[in-house]
Amino acid sequence: MSLEGTQLPRRRPLDGRRVLVGVGAGIAAYKAVEVVRQLAQLGADVHVLMTRDATRLVGPATFRELSYNPVITDLFEGHPRLAMTHVTLARQADLLVVCPATADLLGKMAGGLGDDPVTTTYLACTAPVLVVPAMNTAMYHHPAVQANLAQLAQRGCHILGPVAGKLATGHEGMGRMVEPHQVVEEVCYLLHPCKDLRGRKVLVTAGPTREPLDPVRFLSNRSSGKMGYAIARMARLRGAQVTLVSGPVALAPPQGVEVERVETAQQMHDACLRHLPAQDAVIMAAAVADFRPVSPHPEKLKKQDLFARGQETWSLALTRTPDILAAMARLRRPHQLLVGFAAETRQLESMAWQKLREKGVDLVVANDVTRPGAGFEADTNAAVLVDRDGQRTEVPLVLKEELADRILDWVAAHLPPAPAAPAPPSTPPAG
Ligand code: PMT
């Protein structure tokens, strides 16, 4: 069956995972509605717990409809064994998200108090906890709140945000809750089952480069950055510390990834070489321009100057850009893995083997950019992977994130063993 042009079937990332969402009484409680909706759409079994005051901001019925589960708003009312229910949920949870985490909730959690469904569940929960604070700027900066946050972080809670921005009071300042999709991405990160790249550093390139003709025009290509961004996101979900060197694209930076933005091939070259020494693996998915105008014009080119005296054509002198992949292959140390892409319009596989030899890389990911649904701009891609040991793997048309995972499988399997963690200091003999 051909998958081209169809919605690809895919296991949802949170299928089978139970996520508890504890909602505090902050205006940002409305954002928790979207968090719950998105978590449920990704397959999670979502259970919402609310403080009594939170129910005055958002109705429990909204959470019930979006989570497909009853909402716990009171420790004792409505169910003879309700006091047991949140404890049972806490025991069976894969993750507890406290969102929004108000100053009051932070204080109770840090102090070990439990007098509502959220704090009692927190105390009973042995699963990881994600705390998403939101409050007024002065409250956030109060030493008591900072001390509570520090204590929760020290106890192993993951703290996400807050960020600076417009607050409910209309003022700009620190204390705004991060956006719902960022909470959901953090949940995906914390619950991702495979962390085989933990402790590894991975450099990824993505997007096109722009080679200026004059201040308003440039030579470029159709790369959207989707392939490289998918690799960066999946590498981070698998535990890597990821640096993404990106040409100009319209995509949001993947969460938890350090992004360096560049425009030209020369800038991408300089950024990559600067980051290279620290990396365990480098994956170059960017569509780097192979040539650029010899001398970009300092002012906007005028057609009356270019086509003077009845001329109908105008010639542009081009010169080569640096071959970044080849430079990386020369400069890398033996333990550093180097993965290149090959964007081909014919003889896909023979070109892939040729690039593997000529560029001196460990793996080439060759994609036929004329195939519908593959290559530039699409959400899907198909590729042949050829490696330094002569192995070939064909990946059919899949979402770019799935192809990214197949590339990262190869990287994880070929990285040299990670250096052993330093031994804990030995305890001096008693007496
Ligand atoms: O961004 P998308 O819209 O998602 O599209 C994805 C993609 C088609 C851009 C991607 O899958 C892809 O094929 N990337 C490589 C595109 C490319 O430039 O291919 P190439 O065969 O011309 O280059 C081979 C390799 O050399 C690539 O790893 C490239 O990053 C690198 N290169 C190329 C030229 C240059 N001057 N320096 C380089 O390092």
Side-chain angles (χ1 to χ4, degrees), residues 205 207 222-227 284-290 321-325 340-344 355 359 367 369 375-378 381 400:
T205 68
R222 290 170 38 209
S223 172
S224 63
K226 286 179 184 174
M227 190 67 243
M284 310 223 16
V288 187
D290 288 314
T321 55
D323 187 328
I324 308 170
L325 193 56
F341 267 68
E344 304 298 343
K355 260 188 185 138
K359 299 253 185 178
N367 45 183
V369 293
F376 294 104
E377 297 170 301
N381 206 355
K400 281 183 172 165

Side-chain angles (χ1 to χ4, degrees), residues 146-160:
Q146 289 300 313
N148 290 335
L149 274 169
Q151 188 162 80
L152 290 171
Q154 203 207 342
R155 262 188 228 146
C157 289
H158 304 269
I159 316 283
L160 183 64

Side-chain angles (χ1 to χ4, degrees), residues 152-277:
L152 290 171
Q154 203 207 342
R155 262 188 228 146
C157 289
H158 304 269
I159 316 283
L160 183 64
V163 291
K166 200 158 193 125
L167 300 170
T169 51
H171 295 102
E172 294 273 337
M174 192 64 173
R176 184 181 161 87
M177 186 179 132
V178 297
E179 295 308 312
H181 71 88
Q182 295 174 294
V183 179
V184 172
E185 179 66 5
E186 207 59 14
V187 172
C188 290
Y189 169 67
L190 292 170
L191 292 182
H192 196 274
C194 171
K195 288 283 186 272
D196 57 355
L197 295 175
R198 198 193 297 277
R200 306 297 196 153
K201 292 189 173 154
V202 177
L203 175 66
V204 181
T205 68
T209 63
R210 286 180 180 172
E211 309 302 329
L213 272 166
D214 68 15
V216 298
R217 303 182 182 94
F218 52 80
L219 298 180
S220 191
N221 59 63
R222 290 170 38 209
S223 172
S224 63
K226 286 179 184 174
M227 190 67 243
Y229 276 54
I231 296 168
R233 174 171 184 252
M234 298 316 289
R236 192 255 173 174
L237 290 182
R238 290 168 73 151
Q241 188 180 327
V242 182
T243 305
L244 175 63
V245 175
S246 172
V249 297
L251 303 175
Q255 189 155 311
V257 166
E258 180 196 332
V259 181
E260 178 161 348
R261 295 191 185 280
V262 296
E263 285 236 349
T264 64
Q266 185 65 51
Q267 288 168 0
M268 187 171 277
H269 168 271
D270 296 350
C272 286
L273 263 55
R274 186 161 23 83
H275 289 293
L276 175 64

